């Protein structure tokens, strides 16, 4: 039996929606930009700054990594996928959730 149109969790989201993007980032000592600022810059390529609801960041106890959560108002699945792709392709990002 073949499923012609498989569904994933993103199909269950009703748009517009408030959505939290999470990323684990390397702390770049020589970079003047924090991990939070770097993630926001990537996100703002796809969405207006007024869609930003909040940003949280937490540095690891070793200081090598910073977890960043950016909550946004997104309008479509395509927008959600484009934002995830930009975040995941950043060399500073170790993992996205």
């Amino acid at each position: 039996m073949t499923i012609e149109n498989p569904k994933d969790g993103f199909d269950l989201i009703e748009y517009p929606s408030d959505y939290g993007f999470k990323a684990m980032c390397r702390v770049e000592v020589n970079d003047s930009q924090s991990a939070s600022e770097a993630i926001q810059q990537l996100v703002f390529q796809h969405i207006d700054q007024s869609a930003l609801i909040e940003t949280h960041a937490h540095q690891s106890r070793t200081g090598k990594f910073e977890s960043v959560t950016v909550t946004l108002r997104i309008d479509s699945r395509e927008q959600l996928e484009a934002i995830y792709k930009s975040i995941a392709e950043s060399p500073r990002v170790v993992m996205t959730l």
Side-chain angles (χ1 to χ4, degrees), residues 69-81:
T69 302
V70 179
T71 305
L72 309 165
R73 171 60 56 115
I74 56 171
D75 296 319
S76 68
R77 178 183 174 134
E78 292 76 23
Q79 195 175 48
L80 181 140
E81 290 175 346

Side-chain angles (χ1 to χ4, degrees), residues 8 10 21 76-86:
D8 59 24
F10 298 132
F21 294 86
S76 68
R77 178 183 174 134
E78 292 76 23
Q79 195 175 48
L80 181 140
E81 290 175 346
I83 292 169
Y84 261 126
K85 184 176 183 206
S86 288

